[in-house]
Amino acid sequence: MGLLSFLKNGIRGGRGQAAEGSKADRGILIFENTSDVIRAENRLKAAGWPVRVMGPPPEIQRGCDLVIEFPLIQRLEIMRLLEEAQAVPLEMVPVTGPLLTPVDLFQTVDYGDWLMVRAANMKICIEKSTRTIVNISGGGCPDVPYLAQEMVGKSLTEAPRPREIGHTLCGYALELAYEEICRQCSAS
């Protein structure tokens, strides 16, 4: 990104546009545990920051199994928000090379009549023609059977959000898969 483009984006852009810039302008926040990731994500999204929860890059061997990708140019404001929310990361790392690139959490498989999205260790599968949830699986958390009982057999619009009824990392991962499958269905 040249200086002129940077100035144009800075003058015109809001928070969303700032994050749309070059991939080299990203950073990741590393947290000690998943609860801190969820608290930080909620606080940053409530403030309008376009952040993404992703898997840690292979070079990162500390913290939990999730990181938050954010627009690096906004690091001071984001760190201030996280300090106010008492969700301070262990470390903030600029993405400077391919080995520091966070890993996408989502895997999508199209089985013809069915579509499956996996986020971390949780999977959700729908019948494409009706958008009815036909299966929820994965994880080892105690609330997974309850989540499946409440969601399977219902359409994506009728089913409760996993975040509303789940209380574990599996519930959080299922929420991410649910959001991704809803996004993919709205695009088609």
Side-chain angles (χ1 to χ4, degrees), residues 1 5-23 25-26 48-51 70-74:
M1 173 186 298
S5 297
F6 172 78
L7 292 173
K8 283 181 181 177
N9 287 338
I11 292 169
R12 287 188 205 153
R15 292 177 174 173
Q17 290 176 334
E20 299 292 326
S22 166
K23 297 291 184 189
D25 298 337
R26 297 173 302 152
W49 291 107
V51 296
F70 71 100
L72 188 59
I73 196 167
Q74 303 298 334

Side-chain angles (χ1 to χ4, degrees), residues 15-35:
R15 292 177 174 173
Q17 290 176 334
E20 299 292 326
S22 166
K23 297 291 184 189
D25 298 337
R26 297 173 302 152
I28 55 174
L29 301 168
I30 301 164
F31 293 88
E32 183 165 347
N33 58 59
T34 306
S35 297

Side-chain angles (χ1 to χ4, degrees), residues 39-50:
R39 187 172 351 148
E41 179 196 24
N42 289 338
R43 180 66 180 105
L44 293 172
K45 284 188 172 178
W49 291 107

Side-chain angles (χ1 to χ4, degrees), residues 64-82:
C64 67
D65 291 338
L66 301 171
V67 298
I68 295 179
E69 182 185 61
F70 71 100
L72 188 59
I73 196 167
Q74 303 298 334
R75 69 177 170 248
L76 292 177
E77 190 170 345
I78 284 174
M79 291 301 287
R80 186 174 45 248
L81 276 173
L82 294 178

